[in-house]
Amino acid sequence: MPGRLYIVPTPVGNLEDMTYRAVKVLTGAGLVLAEDTRTSSVLLKHFGIEARHLQSHHKFNEHQTVPMIKEKILSGLDVALISDAGTPGISDPGFLLVRECAAEGIEVQTLPGATACIPAIVSSGLPCDRFCFEGFLPVKKGRQTLLKSLASETRTMVFYESPYRLVKTLVQLAEYFGPDRQCSVAREISKIHEEHRRGTLEEVALWFKEHEPKGEIVLVVAGAPSRKRNEESEDGK
């Protein structure tokens, strides 16, 4: 009987965000795949989980390791995948392994749990009934093309960004979306120095030009006004 693949979220900040079920699954797994075994060893030790079956699985080796992992699961081994923080597959390794296991008929169970994008959008004060997750913007190739296409996106947009590129990104978004577009920068979610800076793209860019951003960043940007809203606004004049 084949085993299962478990996708296990881990805390993005406060270790108390770890769920009881996540600890149980990691304790019982025959193999734990980790993006960085050094980082994950600290986490597992904190929760008293034996790390003797810990194996590296990241974007640089996943194409080589997936076939072997798949065979282990088919032979009856339960395997758990974790990343350095948050839910694997969301801007972290995981998609390739899940796709291959699903195609093979292997049961994949993804545990609910920590991720940075959901707390960021809910805390932003921007509409969160409909949104699109864009992850990290391309650093060079395709960046301008994507920004042009997103300028007319009516849903709230969520981006991950490096603190070193945050100001540049805010300035570029102001150029393509307009300086008055509302946004929120969430920094260090679930950590001691969690911060949410809200305002227009221009205002928030100026703030971070004067206050160097640090830590993990989630950028939430309001969508473009929909045609329906524009028509209603014009009718109300």
Side-chain angles (χ1 to χ4, degrees):
M1 184 176 179
R4 294 173 176 169
L5 172 64
Y6 292 94
I7 309 300
V8 184
T10 54
V12 297
N14 194 322
L15 291 179
E16 292 182 5
D17 293 337
M18 191 77 165
T19 68
Y20 290 113
R21 186 183 175 201
V23 173
K24 181 179 179 180
V25 168
L26 292 175
T27 300
L31 175 65
V32 177
L33 305 173
E35 186 178 4
D36 186 326
T37 55
R38 294 166 299 182
T39 300
S40 296
S41 292
V42 175
L43 177 75
L44 297 179
K45 183 178 180 180
H46 178 85
F47 289 102
I49 301 169
E50 285 287 340
R52 63 179 183 275
H53 300 305
L54 189 64
Q55 179 179 313
S56 176
H57 181 80
H58 47 71
K59 64 180 181 180
F60 300 110
N61 73 356
E62 60 181 345
H63 286 276
Q64 289 74 42
T65 58
V66 163
M68 176 270 295
I69 295 166
K70 188 169 62 175
E71 289 305 313
K72 285 182 178 292
I73 298 174
L74 288 171
S75 69
L77 194 70
D78 285 338
V79 174
L81 173 66
I82 58 177
S83 61
D84 289 348
T87 300
I90 306 298
S91 292
D92 279 326
F95 161 71
L96 180 61
L97 180 59
V98 170
R99 183 186 68 182
E100 295 300 311
C101 286
E104 195 70 43
I106 293 170
E107 183 178 354
V108 179
Q109 287 194 7
T110 300
L111 279 61
T115 185
C117 61
I118 298 303
I121 188 171
V122 173
S123 297
S124 70
L126 296 171
C128 51
D129 55 334
R130 295 178 67 246
F131 63 90
C132 59
F133 175 73
E134 293 295 329
F136 287 96
L137 286 166
V139 177
K140 294 181 181 178
K141 187 177 180 181
R143 186 180 178 94
Q144 291 185 350
T145 301
L146 179 58
L147 290 176
K148 287 179 182 178
S149 69
L150 290 175
S152 58
E153 172 60 63
T154 58
R155 294 171 295 178
T156 302
M157 293 163 278
V158 185
F159 305 91
Y160 286 164
E161 191 51 280
S162 159
Y164 308 108
R165 292 193 299 267
L166 177 62
V167 171
K168 175 184 176 181
T169 295
L170 288 167
V171 170
Q172 285 188 320
L173 289 173
E175 292 174 359
Y176 285 92
F177 296 1
D180 294 330
R181 186 78 70 92
Q182 291 291 313
C183 73
S184 172
V185 171
R187 191 179 67 81
E188 294 290 82
I189 288 175
S190 192
K191 298 178 182 177
I192 295 174
H193 300 293
E194 179 172 342
E195 175 190 23
H196 297 265
R197 181 61 50 181
R198 306 174 183 87
T200 66
L201 287 167
E202 184 176 54
E203 290 169 343
V204 176
L206 287 172
W207 168 268
F208 283 109
K209 281 181 180 179
E210 299 175 358
H211 304 81
E212 182 183 1
K214 297 179 181 179
E216 302 292 328
I217 302 289
V218 183
L219 170 60
V220 183
V221 183
S226 66
R227 180 180 299 177
K228 182 178 179 181
R229 290 211 306 268
N230 283 336
E231 291 173 350
E232 290 174 348
S233 177
E234 290 175 1
D235 291 341
K237 286 182 179 179

